[in-house]
Amino acid sequence: MQEEEIFNLSIAINAGLEPLTFTITIYYPASVPKHERNYRVLRDNEMLGVLHQDADDRWHLLEGNMEQEEIQTIGQEIDAHYA
């Protein structure tokens, strides 16, 4: 099993408001191939959701309660983190 990676992202979710800091934890679920990654999104130590990027580079919410716009914005920032 691969180790988790943890990093913080500061993201302006709502235009005109201060950016929020999210903690992103990458983990590799045992039920899927090793190259598959999921991303836990936390704010103030509370899990907001789990994101997954599919083969077509689209972001999806696997669990939690987030709006599609938030999912895409956070997903884009995760992509930028690795660019």
Side-chain angles (χ1 to χ4, degrees):
M1 182 170 167
Q2 297 183 16
E3 291 188 29
E4 292 182 344
E5 178 184 348
I6 300 171
F7 58 92
N8 291 320
L9 294 175
S10 188
I11 305 171
I13 294 290
N14 299 309
L17 297 178
E18 291 291 319
L20 301 174
T21 300
F22 297 91
T23 300
I24 309 298
T25 303
I26 301 170
Y27 70 99
Y28 300 84
S31 62
V32 296
K34 288 185 179 182
H35 65 278
E36 295 284 330
R37 294 183 287 194
N38 289 338
Y39 301 81
R40 286 186 194 105
V41 180
L42 295 100
R43 170 113 173 98
D44 298 329
N45 294 318
E46 179 181 334
M47 189 177 80
L48 302 177
V50 175
L51 302 183
H52 177 78
Q53 188 176 33
D54 67 18
D56 295 323
D57 295 329
R58 291 179 297 208
W59 288 94
H60 302 277
L61 183 67
L62 299 180
E63 61 181 88
N65 187 20
M66 298 171 68
E67 299 291 327
Q68 188 61 36
E69 183 177 335
E70 296 170 324
I71 295 165
Q72 293 306 316
T73 300
I74 293 170
Q76 290 170 353
E77 291 296 323
I78 291 171
D79 286 339
H81 174 78
Y82 289 106

